[in-house]
Amino acid sequence: MKRPKRSGAGARSAHLLDTSTLLWALGEPERLSPRARRLVEAGENVVSVASYWEVVIKTQKGLLSISDLATWWRRATDLTTARVLNVRSSHITALAALPMRHKDPFDRILIAQANAEGLALVTNDASIGEYPIQTLW
């Protein structure tokens, strides 16, 4: 996959949505920055199956209230017109090379996937900016 264009205000390329961005885009779009909202609305979204996994765990812990997770995931990918990115061995290899700056395992796999796939990560988590990936917010 091509690396995202890094210059020009109008440059468009695929971008990976982190889990919070995905949840906010679907249920609380006002929490997105204007730029993040434009990116989500413009399409070319990629969502990781790791975000689905994170949502399942948070729902099981009672942190989210989603009654039908499979339907939620289908609607999430449909409504954001997103391509689903499965976790592959190349992502795990990229994960193994990451320094332990960020402890959240879901954020770490998203960082590794963004790195391995050459995708910008749409996130409001400033600590992710410490990694050698492009972040957008």
Side-chain angles (χ1 to χ4, degrees):
M1 179 170 273
K2 294 181 182 177
R3 295 200 69 81
K5 293 181 182 175
R6 295 175 189 262
S7 62
R12 286 184 43 162
S13 61
H15 44 266
L16 179 62
L17 306 181
D18 81 353
T19 307
S20 293
T21 301
L22 176 61
L23 287 165
W24 295 340
L26 298 170
E28 299 177 88
E30 67 279 2
R31 293 187 68 178
L32 298 172
S33 72
R35 182 181 190 190
R37 189 174 306 131
R38 281 192 306 275
L39 286 166
V40 171
E41 290 172 356
E44 299 191 48
N45 299 305
V46 178
V47 293
S48 173
V49 72
S51 289
Y52 182 25
W53 183 10
E54 183 175 10
V55 167
V56 167
I57 289 174
K58 286 185 175 189
T59 300
Q60 290 173 334
K61 288 183 172 183
L63 301 172
L64 293 173
S65 179
I66 300 172
S67 59
D68 183 346
L69 288 159
T71 298
W72 176 87
W73 179 245
R74 281 192 302 279
R75 285 186 41 76
T77 58
D78 287 347
L79 291 173
T80 58
T81 61
R83 176 175 60 90
V84 175
L85 179 61
N86 290 316
V87 177
R88 296 194 298 267
S89 59
S90 61
H91 303 149
I92 304 304
T93 301
L95 175 67
L98 290 179
M100 285 298 294
R101 293 186 187 125
H102 203 291
K103 304 293 188 226
D104 183 292
F106 293 105
D107 286 343
R108 288 180 56 76
I109 193 61
L110 293 174
I111 293 164
Q113 286 183 300
N115 186 16
E117 298 293 324
L119 296 169
L121 183 61
V122 183
T123 182
N124 74 332
D125 186 337
S127 66
I128 290 176
E130 297 176 25
Y131 289 93
I133 61 168
Q134 180 185 18
T135 59
L136 303 170
W137 189 249

